[in-house]
Amino acid sequence: MMSNSSDICAELECWFARPGGQHLLEHERQLVNQMLQKVFGYHLLQLGITRNTPLAAPNTLNHTIYACHQSGADIGLLTDQQALPFPCDSIDAIVLHHALEFAENPHQLLREVHRVLSPQGHLIVLGVNPYSGFGLSTTLRGLHPDSLWHHLHGLSSHRLRDWLHLLGSEVLSSSYTYAFPPVGGGRLLSTSKRIDSFLHRHQWPLGGVYALHAQKKVIPYTPIRKPWQSRLSTGLFGLGVNKPVPSPRNTDHAA
């Protein structure tokens, strides 16, 4: 993660603790758990920059690991997310909670995630849609160097699809939420939440946050035969083989 990731973690956690952030977390949990209903396995890993935002429902998979670069109540593993302490092909499902956007090298993080993901394993990525109203507002606020969003590197779902395709993963589905971020307080906040919930149910395509569900595909290995091997095989199969001759029966001698 970034060198000042501790400060970013604290700021992002404060943002998620506000009404708008809590509203977004509620919808992100809905999206993640809907996608995890189609996932079977044992190990589930969630990677993110915050420490108090578990997304998967309890007992979704048998073993859930929440990993971060800082300790916290819900964190079970402290790790450098770009060098995960897991063997290859060992994790059945991984959830990236806004991890790519705050990574110094998102390509390396995605390659590392793909490495530890098991064959046919599932990956769910949550990210800010840079082409939405929320994405544009974070870009404008990020112009100030002291802003939390100054450290956010926008990554569109289309670009992420290309990256996953190059790694050999297939995108199964994508969903959007947070099309109308809650604003204000009191009645205005309640009304904006209802509008956003309505747009979330109807999957408004310009939602501020996307959830992309992909699966790691493993191409079966087919050995390439050299020309001399093919000729040898053809020659061997063309050799004549004597067929067994049945022994005479007693009735034949008797005749």
Side-chain angles (χ1 to χ4, degrees):
M1 305 301 289
M2 296 182 177
S3 57
N4 56 346
S5 56
S6 298
D7 296 335
I8 298 173
C9 175
E11 291 185 52
L12 197 57
E13 287 175 351
C14 290
W15 186 86
F16 274 119
R18 299 169 187 167
Q22 288 292 308
H23 182 75
L24 174 58
L25 278 177
E26 178 184 348
H27 284 178
E28 287 182 332
R29 288 190 177 103
Q30 291 178 15
L31 292 176
V32 168
N33 286 286
Q34 287 172 4
M35 294 176 174
L36 286 176
Q37 289 178 358
K38 305 175 183 179
V39 176
F40 300 94
Y42 187 81
H43 299 292
L44 169 65
L45 172 66
Q46 177 178 322
L47 294 173
I49 197 171
T50 53
R51 299 166 292 182
N52 55 357
T53 55
L55 300 178
N59 302 321
T60 302
L61 272 71
N62 292 336
H63 183 214
T64 302
I65 306 169
Y66 298 106
C68 189
H69 64 287
Q70 292 190 64
S71 60
D74 297 309
I75 300 302
L77 174 67
L78 297 178
T79 180
D80 177 1
Q81 297 184 6
Q82 299 188 72
L84 298 173
F86 300 107
C88 298
D89 306 330
S90 59
I91 305 295
D92 300 298
I94 298 177
V95 177
L96 292 181
H97 186 220
H98 301 289
L100 290 175
E101 299 146 308
F102 290 98
E104 287 186 346
N105 189 340
H107 292 88
Q108 173 59 28
L109 174 56
L110 199 59
R111 285 193 295 266
E112 184 67 1
V113 166
H114 190 267
R115 179 187 68 82
V116 303
L117 198 62
S118 64
Q120 309 304 319
H122 293 258
L123 172 65
I124 299 175
V125 181
L126 292 136
V128 174
N129 178 12
Y131 303 123
S132 65
F134 177 62
L136 292 175
S137 68
T138 58
T139 300
L140 292 176
R141 284 183 286 177
L143 296 176
H144 195 286
D146 295 331
S147 170
L148 162 67
W149 309 112
H150 180 72
H151 309 284
L152 179 74
H153 303 298
L155 177 63
S156 69
S157 61
H158 297 288
R159 189 178 179 188
L160 180 58
R161 284 173 181 266
D162 293 337
W163 290 4
L164 291 170
H165 177 72
L166 291 174
L167 288 173
S169 294
E170 177 186 356
V171 176
L172 303 180
S173 65
S174 61
S175 300
Y176 291 86
T177 189
Y178 215 58
F180 193 87
V183 293
R187 182 173 297 180
L188 178 60
L189 177 62
S190 177
T191 302
S192 62
K193 283 185 177 181
R194 287 198 298 270
I195 295 174
D196 185 63
S197 296
F198 172 82
L199 296 175
H200 171 77
R201 289 194 301 271
H202 292 82
Q203 279 303 293
W204 186 253
L206 296 179
V209 172
Y210 62 81
L212 193 145
H213 181 191
Q215 187 176 27
K216 179 179 177 179
K217 297 295 184 179
V218 178
I219 301 175
Y221 172 71
T222 303
I224 300 176
R225 303 175 67 88
K226 297 181 179 180
W228 65 268
Q229 292 176 319
S230 300
R231 291 194 298 269
L232 179 60
S233 299
T234 304
L236 289 175
F237 281 115
L239 293 177
V241 179
N242 294 328
K243 297 182 179 180
V245 178
S247 59
R249 295 177 296 179
N250 295 333
T251 55
D252 296 335
H253 292 290

